[in-house]
Amino acid sequence: MVSLTRWFGVTESDADRNPAREKTDIEAIIAKSLLMQANAAATQHRPLCRGTHASGICVRAQFEIFDHSVDHAPDLATRLAKGLFAKPGVYPTVVRFANADANINSDFKPDVRSLSFSVDLTQGDTADAGASRQDFSMQNATTLPINDSPAFLATIKVLTASNPVAGLWSLPFKDKLKVVRTMALAEKQARQKVRPYQQLRYWSTVPFRHGPDDVVKFSAIPSPDNPARPLQKSNPKGLQDELARHIKEDGQLSWFDFAVQFLDTSKMTYWGRTRDANFWIENASVEWNEAEAPFHRVARLVLMGNSQLSLEASEAIYFDVTGNSTPDSRPVGSINRARCPAEVASRKARTPAPGQ
């Protein structure tokens, strides 16, 4: 089984990885990401927009950090109280719910849904003065289908090829398998039942530092009482319009418990075996089993009424989990190292500096 997972792109140890190749891979990923962004705009006869998560809606919210000593034993409370989560407080937040695709499609086309938000740290007293905001990017799937930067590059080569079948055929055999695995996982995740944005659970899918010693993943868990009306499938913006209606009309506003999941190598297993920390950090497509590593509630994200941002303001919003991060909450792993420069290049392409 070890050899099989290795062939399909899951790296079993550091010996399977090629750090020297990563810089070259990332440069190629940037170029292909910009090409995919341009192709999507050309195909739909529109200006450039986000390279992924192209269609969405922005609203305002509040992010409340809990007093961990109330709900948790002292040792766990101390472990949770790192970075942004070190001190109770309430922070203004901008939230974007979106569809993951690079194209602007109907909200009812099979897709992964995303929740991204930016916490404004300038209006509170945080224990970490190293950043003015903390960004989060989450999806309604537990893992990312793209395992690491080699799988990222192989997949985006196929997606941007003039003939995807020929593009896949041209790849080395191992890269073919990586693309097939990525596409299969992505298709499975996209085929979830379509539900209102405010009733979905979201995961960070990739890991982040939590203080100097821990690594975690995040999840936003919806209240079971988050209200929504039946979706109008004849409306191509049905999910976005339902969220807009909700924050404008409903007396009870939706909220999500925000929780962290610690990387615990002594308890987490893959195919019946424990693995080292780098295995769990570098393989973005491998799930951290919640039964082995439970989530712990640390905060709550509460949507605000009548707070939808204008189209112009929404288009100006961006989320950068690397650039907008406190020192104790930096992203880690191959996918995080690859996606940051690609996302920055994509953002610069759609929002050129004044005078350009």
Side-chain angles (χ1 to χ4, degrees):
M1 188 59 66
V2 169
S3 61
L4 180 61
T5 57
R6 184 177 292 149
W7 270 100
F8 273 88
V10 174
T11 54
E12 295 285 339
S13 68
D14 288 345
D16 297 330
R17 304 177 187 113
N18 187 351
R21 172 186 162 184
E22 189 170 81
K23 182 179 179 182
T24 302
D25 281 354
I26 291 173
E27 291 173 353
I29 288 168
I30 293 170
K32 294 296 184 182
S33 296
L34 293 175
L35 177 59
M36 188 169 73
Q37 183 181 20
N39 287 347
T43 299
Q44 297 194 310
H45 307 289
R46 57 166 172 77
L48 287 180
C49 65
R50 289 171 172 82
T52 57
H53 303 174
S55 179
I57 177 174
C58 290
V59 301
R60 298 194 181 279
Q62 289 187 327
F63 193 63
E64 179 185 2
I65 309 296
F66 295 144
D67 180 349
H68 310 311
S69 64
V70 173
D71 295 327
H72 304 293
D75 288 350
L76 178 57
T78 299
R79 194 179 182 191
L80 291 170
K82 299 292 190 299
L84 171 65
F85 307 105
K87 185 178 296 185
V90 179
Y91 301 91
T93 304
V94 174
V95 181
R96 187 173 190 265
F97 295 91
N99 307 325
D101 202 281
N103 291 304
I104 298 177
N105 303 315
S106 166
D107 285 353
F108 295 96
K109 180 178 179 180
D111 201 352
V112 172
R113 317 300 169 178
S114 67
L115 165 65
S116 302
F117 63 99
S118 179
V119 182
D120 181 359
L121 304 181
T122 64
Q123 300 186 38
D125 180 21
T126 66
D128 221 328
S132 61
R133 60 188 267 195
Q134 177 75 52
D135 289 1
F136 298 92
S137 180
M138 315 177 80
Q139 299 191 141
N140 69 322
T142 57
T143 64
L144 201 66
I146 305 173
N147 189 70
D148 50 23
S149 58
F152 194 171
L153 179 56
T155 303
I156 203 169
K157 281 181 177 179
V158 173
L159 293 176
T160 56
S162 56
N163 183 331
V165 174
L168 178 62
W169 186 254
S170 70
L171 295 175
F173 181 67
K174 283 189 176 181
D175 283 353
K176 286 186 178 73
L177 294 181
K178 291 173 185 176
V179 173
V180 169
R181 182 175 187 272
T182 299
M183 295 296 195
L185 289 173
E187 179 68 15
K188 180 180 179 181
Q189 291 180 359
R191 292 291 172 179
Q192 298 181 63
K193 181 181 178 181
V194 178
R195 299 176 61 197
Y197 288 133
Q198 65 266 31
Q199 293 184 338
L200 296 173
R201 182 176 177 181
Y202 302 88
W203 290 262
S204 65
T205 71
V206 290
F208 295 79
R209 295 212 168 276
H210 184 75
D213 302 316
D214 278 314
V215 172
V216 301
K217 288 186 178 181
F218 304 115
S219 183
I221 305 165
S223 164
D225 298 324
N226 284 355
R229 290 184 181 173
L231 296 171
Q232 301 300 314
K233 294 186 178 181
S234 60
N235 177 6
K237 296 181 65 178
L239 292 178
Q240 298 169 67
D241 287 351
E242 164 52 24
L243 185 75
R245 182 213 62 78
H246 165 57
I247 62 169
K248 184 177 181 180
E249 298 180 4
D250 289 341
Q252 176 182 331
L253 274 300
S254 292
W255 54 264
F256 300 79
D257 272 339
F258 192 81
V260 301
Q261 178 188 35
F262 289 108
L263 170 57
D264 190 338
T265 57
S266 68
K267 296 180 180 178
M268 294 164 55
T269 60
Y270 181 72
W271 291 108
R273 287 177 47 203
T274 58
R275 312 290 172 131
D276 64 14
N278 279 352
F279 173 87
W280 300 106
I281 291 170
E282 299 298 331
N283 289 302
S285 63
V286 174
E287 184 171 356
W288 295 11
N289 188 340
E290 194 168 342
E292 298 173 337
F295 280 91
H296 304 282
R297 188 183 72 147
V298 293
R300 179 167 291 173
L301 179 69
V302 183
L303 306 187
M304 296 178 63
N306 295 306
S307 66
Q308 182 180 353
L309 273 63
S310 67
L311 178 60
E312 182 179 13
S314 295
E315 287 303 307
I317 292 291
Y318 71 91
F319 303 92
D320 182 345
V321 298
T322 302
N324 297 317
S325 174
T326 62
D328 273 345
S329 302
R330 296 286 189 232
V332 294
S334 178
I335 282 296
N336 278 318
R337 293 190 296 272
R339 77 175 180 176
C340 177
E343 289 176 351
V344 170
S346 173
R347 181 169 73 244
K348 289 181 177 179
R350 74 179 179 91
T351 55
Q356 291 186 336

